[in-house]
Amino acid sequence: MNGIVGGGPVLGTISPVGLYTAPPSNPGVGIVVACSAGIPPNTGTAELTWLNPVPVLSSLSPAAVNVGTFNFSLNGSGFVGASQVLLNGVIVPATVVSATLITVQASSPLAGNITVAVTNPDPGTASSAIRTLKVMDPIALTISPLTANVRLGNTRKFTPTLVNSVNKALTWSVNGIPGGTADLGTIAPDGTYTAPSLPVAAGTVKITVTSVAAPTISADAIVTLLNPIPVIQSLSPNALVYGSQDIVVTGTGFVPTSVVRLGDVTFPTQFISPTQLNATVTLTPTLGNTLAFRVLNPDPGTATSSPYYVPVGAANPLVSYRAAARFLEQASWGPRPDAIAQVQSMGFDAWLNDQLAAPPSLHALSDSTSDSLGSQQSEFFVHALRKPDQLRQRVAFALSQIFVVSGLKTGQPRQMVPFQNLLRQDAFSNYARLLREVTLSPTMGVYLDMVNNDRANPTLGTAPNENYGREVMQLFSLGTALLKPDGTLQKDALGQPIPTYDQATITDTARALTGWTFPGLARTTGHNRENYRSNMIPVAANHDPGSKMIVTGLILPAGRTAQQDLDDVLNTLATHPNVAPFISLRLIQHLVTSNPSPDYLARMSAVFNTTGGDLGAVVRAILLDPEARAGDDSASPVVAGAGHLREPILYLLAMMRTLNVAVVDQNPIESLAADMGQTLFYSPSVFNYYSPLYRVPSGQLGPEFQLLNSATALVRVNGVQNLVTRGLDGDVSFNLGPLTALAGTPATLVDAVDNAFLFGRLPAELKASIITAISATTDCTERVRTAIYLVATSALYQVQH
């Protein structure tokens, strides 16, 4: 080739068999091929003309561009320095980088397809096949959602939409920081944002997605960071006490503004970390003794944790919860939560001392002569629910069922109020004093006909009324048969009970008690007008001056005054051996149990006698006796024959005290009790609302059961329903919030209701049945009402053990 054997890279090469391979570019000189053969050599020559190659366009990169000015590359072969690029047949400026690469910058105002070709000029002009360049609308990038609320610590996926771009690569940033940070939250390449664990000052962050192909193209989303939903995992200490104390709450989702709450009460809370809060809580006695703590995260995104249940009780109790609650069932109108805690912290003795010293809550005096005691009945229940002298009120109520007057005969407020106040004032006094006050009460005088009960008048054919002379022995002091100190009957040689008195004794006692009239002017004859504000006074001319023989065979000589005869009658009754077991039995039955053992009664008779009939001392002994306290031990089973049926007034008040109700001054409680068979102040007879001698079919004493029949039993359960669902049609109110907070977990709720009403004595089988029953609804308030209804109407509650 031009004298060079085999040629070279500039001129091209030729093989031994004469195959010529042209160079890739124009050599710039003429080329002569010479071939020699033989000896001597014979040489032949040929002249070659170099032509440009045929260009081959194999691909465009990119194959698609966007409107406007754009750059792209042509990949192929056969490109030469003079190669030209044609777009839609029009030559455009291009740069030949190499025989295989050409770069082009061009522009297009419209989207569409552009034909692309490469042409090589002479020598040997040639063109490539046509390729198509796609021109697209401008790149667009959007993000969804544009705004989002994300709770701290949670994730949210953002979805980008990139159009008109061949390159789909994207980058993500949070507040302009690629990938984000722990404080702002991080975002993954797939657009998943993970919020930080603590709030950011601004409350929002910006999520930005950017096209790699077009870095100026991006889209933003605004994330509002919400407080997380807190979760309580543990609380220590795991058993709390009433009063102020520090607690540690551990869990997740806590923020610096988190607070620990109990119902509507927010406690001072210190943020330690997203997993720990410290709080100072002040706790008061609570229905059911189970608390439902929650953690509240405020706005933004206010959220509350599920409840975390913690038991609570008295700190360093002197007596157990059950013991205190049982004690209050016997010694008060019912075990209100704060009263239980008070007894636990004070102990029985100190609580009794306080109660014995507490001033009485008295009925407002009234001069009304109306035949309605409605206001006084309402006031009675208000005192029972609100006033602190619980033991005095309870004992006075028991005494009112021993020393009975009834509104059926003494139904004017001016009559009833002084007598009820008398019983409250003397509830803890000496029995002899109480008997004297009752005897000289004008109210009792009217009810049992002692007032203006004058000596016999043969001319008029009148004789003294014997009502009080009989009842003061039969019902107020002795009973009808002689008793041993343990209450068992004394019997004669024939095995028959020995009567305490006979008709002649009644007659003479009535004679001894003649000559008393209403308080007022001192007089020697006649009667005073009605007056109930103080004791009756004697009228000498109206008293029987004859000799009398009263109980025990004591002779009252003739010629004595009405005062002297009354003193001897009352002293003889008050010191009679029967009084101690007779009165003690009645008090035990009303306060503790219908069937005290003989030993229990004997112990109380001894206290009665050794204290000279000190009712406060007897009541103390009754309540502290081992037989009364036998059920205090949590391991002790309920004794079927112990306790007594709650009479309607006690039944209603015990429930309402447990629920800590608020009651209006003029309330309907007395009407509900009346429907149950016990109309307050309106005993049907001098024997009380029910006979103290009534026995149940088993033969055991069960006086209160005389009020229970099919009708009153139904009223009882309906009354409970009215109370817990309608608040006695709005006249009482109470807060079920502490129980409603537990209702999401039926078993926890039933445990709390059991604790509130039965002090943990609900049998497992009955408890399971109640849990099943309340689980039938998801309404928390309905669950609470149903649980209370089923427990309070159970036989286990209706009979106070």
Side-chain angles (χ1 to χ4, degrees):
M1 304 295 295
N2 286 3
I4 299 172
V5 177
V10 175
L11 299 176
T13 61
I14 193 165
S15 72
V17 296
L19 179 63
Y20 173 70
T21 300
S25 59
N26 189 343
V29 296
I31 298 173
V32 177
V33 178
C35 178
S36 297
I39 299 175
N42 186 11
T43 299
T45 63
E47 290 186 10
L48 300 179
T49 300
W50 186 91
L51 303 179
N52 282 326
V54 176
V56 175
L57 181 55
S58 57
S59 67
L60 304 177
S61 180
V65 294
N66 299 97
V67 294
T69 300
F70 47 82
N71 297 303
F72 67 101
S73 299
L74 289 73
N75 304 305
S77 60
F79 302 155
V80 296
S83 293
Q84 295 177 316
V85 176
L86 288 78
L87 299 185
N88 285 341
V90 178
I91 297 172
V92 297
T95 300
V96 179
V97 178
S98 69
T100 59
L101 176 64
I102 299 174
T103 61
V104 178
Q105 184 180 69
S107 63
S108 174
L110 299 175
N113 291 329
I114 297 176
T115 61
V116 180
V118 176
T119 181
N120 285 344
D122 284 331
T125 182
S127 296
S128 69
I130 294 174
R131 294 279 178 177
T132 300
L133 177 66
K134 183 177 181 180
V135 179
M136 303 177 291
D137 287 323
I139 293 174
L141 178 58
T142 59
I143 189 171
S144 177
L146 291 174
T147 61
N149 295 328
V150 182
R151 293 194 180 276
L152 296 177
N154 285 8
T155 61
R156 179 64 187 264
K157 177 72 179 297
F158 289 89
T159 302
T161 301
L162 178 64
V163 296
N164 301 327
S165 177
V166 175
N167 185 351
K168 300 298 185 182
L170 300 168
T171 60
W172 294 87
S173 64
V174 181
N175 282 5
I177 301 173
T181 66
D183 291 337
L184 297 173
T186 60
I187 192 157
D190 67 350
T192 299
Y193 173 70
T194 300
S197 58
L198 293 175
V200 299
T204 61
V205 295
K206 181 172 70 173
I207 304 297
T208 301
V209 59
T210 303
S211 169
V212 171
T216 60
I217 304 298
S218 63
D220 298 327
I222 300 300
V223 173
T224 298
L225 294 174
L226 305 181
N227 283 327
I229 298 174
V231 175
I232 302 177
Q233 295 173 335
S234 67
L235 187 149
S236 63
N238 57 11
L240 302 178
V241 296
Y242 299 129
S244 180
Q245 63 224 275
D246 294 329
I247 63 172
V248 176
V249 180
T250 57
T252 59
F254 303 153
V255 294
T257 53
S258 295
V259 290
V260 176
R261 289 172 62 86
L262 185 63
D264 295 330
V265 177
T266 299
F267 298 112
T269 304
Q270 180 185 11
F271 174 79
I272 303 301
S273 73
T275 60
Q276 180 181 334
L277 300 173
N278 292 351
T280 300
V281 299
T282 301
L283 306 177
T284 56
T286 302
L287 184 64
N289 280 14
T290 300
L291 304 177
F293 282 94
R294 297 176 186 266
V295 169
L296 169 68
N297 286 347
D299 280 330
T302 180
T304 304
S305 70
S306 296
Y308 189 87
Y309 306 127
V310 183
V312 64
N316 304 313
L318 298 178
V319 296
S320 71
Y321 173 82
R322 177 179 296 183
R326 287 190 70 254
F327 179 79
L328 287 170
E329 285 197 313
Q330 299 161 354
S332 75
W333 292 115
R336 206 168 64 183
D338 60 331
I340 296 173
Q342 183 185 39
V343 172
Q344 285 189 271
S345 63
M346 296 180 67
F348 296 145
D349 276 321
W351 187 88
L352 285 169
N353 290 339
D354 273 7
Q355 287 291 302
L356 291 171
S361 55
L362 302 178
H363 289 275
L365 292 177
S366 173
D367 291 322
S368 172
T369 59
S370 73
D371 289 326
S372 171
L373 296 174
S375 293
Q376 286 69 38
Q377 291 169 321
S378 293
E379 186 182 26
F380 174 93
F381 287 105
V382 168
H383 285 175
L385 292 169
R386 296 180 187 171
K387 299 295 185 178
D389 60 329
Q390 288 287 299
L391 180 61
R392 182 182 293 274
Q393 291 187 55
R394 182 69 187 275
V395 172
F397 183 62
L399 294 173
S400 76
Q401 297 183 80
I402 301 170
F403 302 94
V404 176
V405 299
S406 173
L408 296 176
K409 189 173 182 180
T410 54
Q412 298 174 3
R414 65 170 182 159
Q415 297 171 321
M416 185 60 69
V417 167
F419 189 78
Q420 295 301 322
N421 284 346
L422 177 162
L423 295 178
R424 293 195 177 189
Q425 289 168 322
D426 286 346
F428 302 141
S429 69
N430 181 278
Y431 169 77
R433 171 183 168 80
L434 174 62
L435 183 63
R436 179 176 295 273
E437 293 294 310
V438 166
T439 300
L440 292 179
S441 163
T443 306
M444 181 62 78
V446 170
Y447 184 62
L448 290 181
D449 305 309
M450 183 175 155
V451 69
N452 296 336
N453 187 30
D454 298 341
R455 67 183 181 179
N457 187 329
T459 302
L460 298 177
T462 61
N465 189 294
E466 297 179 354
N467 269 356
Y468 192 75
R470 178 178 56 254
E471 307 306 353
V472 72
M473 294 185 289
Q474 179 181 354
L475 300 177
F476 300 170
S477 58
L478 310 180
T480 58
L482 292 179
L483 303 172
K484 298 176 184 178
D486 64 3
T488 57
L489 292 171
Q490 296 187 39
K491 297 183 179 179
D492 59 20
L494 300 176
Q496 297 300 310
I498 302 172
T500 51
Y501 58 86
D502 57 16
Q503 180 56 44
T505 309
I506 295 173
T507 299
D508 276 10
T509 301
R511 291 174 55 226
L513 298 178
T514 55
W516 294 85
T517 189
F518 289 103
L521 295 175
R523 58 196 313 149
T524 56
T525 62
H527 301 140
N528 281 330
R529 54 192 272 177
E530 286 186 75
N531 180 359
Y532 298 90
R533 290 294 183 96
S534 58
N535 289 342
M536 295 188 293
I537 62 173
V539 179
N542 298 336
H543 178 63
D544 186 329
S547 173
K548 306 101 177 169
M549 185 174 71
I550 61 173
V551 70
T552 73
L554 179 66
I555 302 297
L556 304 182
R560 295 174 14 126
T561 65
Q563 186 68 59
Q564 290 172 319
D565 278 356
L566 179 138
D567 288 345
D568 278 354
V569 168
L570 296 184
N571 289 340
T572 302
L573 293 176
T575 57
H576 192 285
N578 259 36
V579 171
F582 184 86
I583 296 298
S584 296
L585 173 62
R586 299 296 185 271
L587 290 174
I588 291 171
Q589 287 179 314
H590 285 295
L591 298 177
V592 177
T593 180
S594 296
N595 295 279
S597 69
D599 288 343
Y600 187 7
L601 187 51
R603 292 190 293 271
M604 297 310 102
S605 295
V607 173
F608 192 101
N609 289 326
T610 57
T611 63
D614 184 331
L615 294 176
V618 172
V619 167
R620 177 192 289 271
I622 287 172
L623 295 172
L624 296 181
D625 190 85
E627 194 161 324
R629 306 272 53 85
D632 290 353
D633 187 346
S634 60
S636 300
V638 173
V639 180
H644 58 87
L645 177 70
R646 300 180 200 264
E647 56 196 272
I649 289 172
L650 293 184
Y651 185 45
L652 290 170
L653 284 173
M655 282 188 289
M656 289 190 282
R657 290 270 301 176
T658 295
L659 294 172
N660 198 15
V661 305
V663 61
V664 297
D665 288 343
Q666 293 300 316
N667 56 77
I669 303 174
E670 69 275 2
S671 63
L672 182 54
D675 291 340
M676 293 180 181
Q678 188 174 31
T679 305
L680 179 65
F681 301 145
Y682 287 88
S683 171
S685 76
V686 72
F687 294 98
N688 187 23
Y689 304 101
Y690 45 83
S691 169
L693 305 178
Y694 182 82
R695 294 180 181 270
V696 294
S698 66
Q700 292 176 298
L701 281 171
E704 300 87 353
F705 276 95
Q706 193 172 17
L707 299 179
L708 189 65
N709 54 47
S710 58
T712 59
L714 184 60
V715 174
R716 278 176 172 251
V717 298
N718 287 342
V720 175
Q721 180 73 358
N722 186 337
L723 173 65
V724 299
T725 61
R726 300 195 301 278
L728 300 185
D729 298 321
D731 288 315
V732 302
S733 59
F734 44 87
N735 178 22
L736 293 180
L739 294 179
T740 305
L742 312 177
T745 307
T748 301
L749 170 61
V750 174
D751 281 343
V753 173
D754 172 24
N755 207 34
F757 286 85
L758 291 173
F759 330 128
R761 296 176 296 179
L762 195 62
E765 183 178 357
L766 182 54
K767 183 178 291 188
S769 296
I770 295 175
I771 291 171
T772 299
I774 69 172
S775 298
T777 178
T778 57
D779 186 311
C780 288
T781 300
E782 189 62 26
R783 283 182 173 181
V784 172
R785 291 170 174 170
T786 301
I788 293 174
Y789 171 82
L790 292 174
V791 170
T793 57
S794 69
L796 191 60
Y797 183 76
Q798 293 201 52
V799 176
Q800 175 186 312
H801 290 278

